[in-house]
DNA sequence: TTTTTGTATGACCACCCAGTCACATCCTGT
DNA sequence: ACAGGATGTGACTGGGTGGTCATACAAAAA
């Protein structure tokens, strides 16, 4: 967490620090991001940064938090939706996409986070949280006869996690809603031909 | 490509250079890998490295090439297999898994390559190549009535690419053949219940 | 024997990094 | 007017990086 000094700051100055930091961590993963570049880009002294934050990691985790806070404001809408698991998933990725469009830099910060090599414990923790949420969701869908009960739930989560991650990456290249729907259709219907009753 | 000097080298010395380089590029992505550490670990002088290779990138690309050459020796078997697309895919990932088990360092080198930030053109090129191969394969499967013709081929490739990448990452955590099959089943049958005739 | 050629070496260069600290500045309460 | 706390500063430290180069050695060619 930032030190108190940071919150006492002149808002304009504080925003300049945030903007420069977000930009740096959007362009570079944690290990390659440079504090020197950040202070150059917002025109404050190196020493000042250490009045506001404990160290580079403290700043980084704060910025990542900001990004995810904003992202939750978008994707959260999906979960309050009435509808089956397929509707919710489509809305989830659609909201992710809108977030990426509205806050491209925050989106990149959030994405870079998963590639980091120093923060493996935090990343693993996040994965486990998501897996738990997802499996509860999946169980309901199976119970209500919407989802295929023959599939291994762990494997299902694995597939959705992998595809979701790349889908979100793809947003930087201007994916549209149509593509999201087509990708989800692949996951929904499977590659093998269906000869339903 | 390495300079001639490298190939004229005493094989033992050459192997020491290769071993140390593979280890470094397995542990660290290109940008964070350190030439100084490599020369320390194989006990040769920094200057010698520049008798063998143009620069860090030259060395790196050579090591990546070695890794992929070895990997092709494994996954290549899948394509010479008789059987439908599902059989081939399962064999493909199974061979990837065996490769990762037999050559864990080379496997990591190959995997790190996709995360690199300086080599985006090469990476995109590789993706396009794989997409072309895959779509030819997919068309055959659709034509012979094995694969669902209603799906968008681009989306299908996208899903398989994403899942394949993560599946291969997962090998480091000791995945077994069973999990590969379960993941492929998710892709094959889809999440929605099937009520086949 | 002398010369040329190929190779090995590590001190050295310029540059970048995160983080520190002695000092300057400003503001507020007395 | 003064004191004292909060804030701003940038030169500096110690350590890392990729890459260079004069020098040394060896062996083969003259």
């Amino acid at each position: 967490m930032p030190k108190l000094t940071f919150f006492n700051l002149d808002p304009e100055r504080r925003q300049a620090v945030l903007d420069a930091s977000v930009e740096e961590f959007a362009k570079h993963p944690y290990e390659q991001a440079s504090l020197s570049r950040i202070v150059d880009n917002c025109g404050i002294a190196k020493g000042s940064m250490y009045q506001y934050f404990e160290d580079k990691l403290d700043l980084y985790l704060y910025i990542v938090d900001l990004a995810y806070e904003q992202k939750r404001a978008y994707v959260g809408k999906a979960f309050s939706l009435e509808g089956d698991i397929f509707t919710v998933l489509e809305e989830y990725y659609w909201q992710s996409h809108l977030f990426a469009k509205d806050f491209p830099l925050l989106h990149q910060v959030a994405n870079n986070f998963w590639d980091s090599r120093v923060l493996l414990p935090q990343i693993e923790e996040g994965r486990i949280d998501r897996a738990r949420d997802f499996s509860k969701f999946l169980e309901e869908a199976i119970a209500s006869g919407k989802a295929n009960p023959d599939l291994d739930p762990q494997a299902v989560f694995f597939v959705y996690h992998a595809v979701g991650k790349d889908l979100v990456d793809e947003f930087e290249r201007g994916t549209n809603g149509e593509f999201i729907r087509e990708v989800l259709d692949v996951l929904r219907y499977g590659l093998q031909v269906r000869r339903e009753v």
Side-chain angles (χ1 to χ4, degrees), chain A residues 86 138 141-142 145-152 156 194:
Chain A
F86 303 108
L138 182 58
I142 292 173
K146 298 264 185 189
N148 186 346
D150 299 332
L151 299 175
D152 175 35
V156 175
R194 285 184 168 243

Side-chain angles (χ1 to χ4, degrees), chain A residues 94 97-98 100-101 104 107 166-180:
Chain A
W94 177 244
H97 171 241
L98 292 182
K101 216 169 193 171
H107 161 73
D166 272 28
L167 197 50
V168 160
D169 268 342
E170 195 73 6
F171 292 162
E172 278 150 38
R173 274 171 260 179
T175 314
N176 55 26
E178 186 58 33
F179 190 66
I180 294 178

Side-chain angles (χ1 to χ4, degrees), chain A residues 34-163:
Chain A
S34 154
L35 261 171
S36 306
R37 269 195 302 256
I38 293 177
V39 299
D40 284 355
N41 285 341
C42 63
I44 69 166
K46 186 92 158 269
S48 296
M49 214 61 184
Y50 288 86
Q51 305 266 15
Y52 310 149
F53 299 92
E54 291 296 336
D55 51 22
K56 186 184 171 183
L57 185 60
D58 186 32
L59 167 62
Y60 178 63
L61 291 179
Y62 182 62
I63 299 292
V64 168
D65 253 23
L66 286 187
Y68 269 103
E69 198 178 309
Q70 189 61 249
K71 180 162 185 172
R72 267 194 302 275
Y74 279 70
V75 300
K77 296 171 194 166
F79 294 109
S80 59
L81 212 68
E82 293 298 318
D84 65 13
I85 189 170
F86 303 108
T87 319
V88 172
L89 283 170
E90 187 173 336
E91 182 66 12
Y92 180 89
Y93 290 115
W94 177 244
Q95 290 294 336
S96 286
H97 171 241
L98 292 182
F99 166 71
K101 216 169 193 171
D102 294 346
F103 300 94
L105 292 181
L106 290 186
H107 161 73
Q108 281 190 62
V109 169
N111 264 30
N112 285 346
F113 176 71
W114 298 95
D115 296 333
S116 154
R117 297 197 160 225
V118 271
L119 309 163
L120 292 178
Q122 283 101 322
I123 290 173
E124 190 52 27
E125 198 184 315
R127 218 188 105 98
I128 290 171
D129 281 356
R130 290 185 60 177
R132 195 176 31 243
D133 291 352
F134 186 88
S135 73
K136 215 163 55 184
F137 212 58
L138 182 58
E139 278 166 29
E140 288 173 28
I142 292 173
S144 67
K146 298 264 185 189
N148 186 346
D150 299 332
L151 299 175
D152 175 35
Q154 278 204 3
V156 175
F157 172 70
F158 182 84
V159 166
Y160 276 80
H161 184 78
V163 172

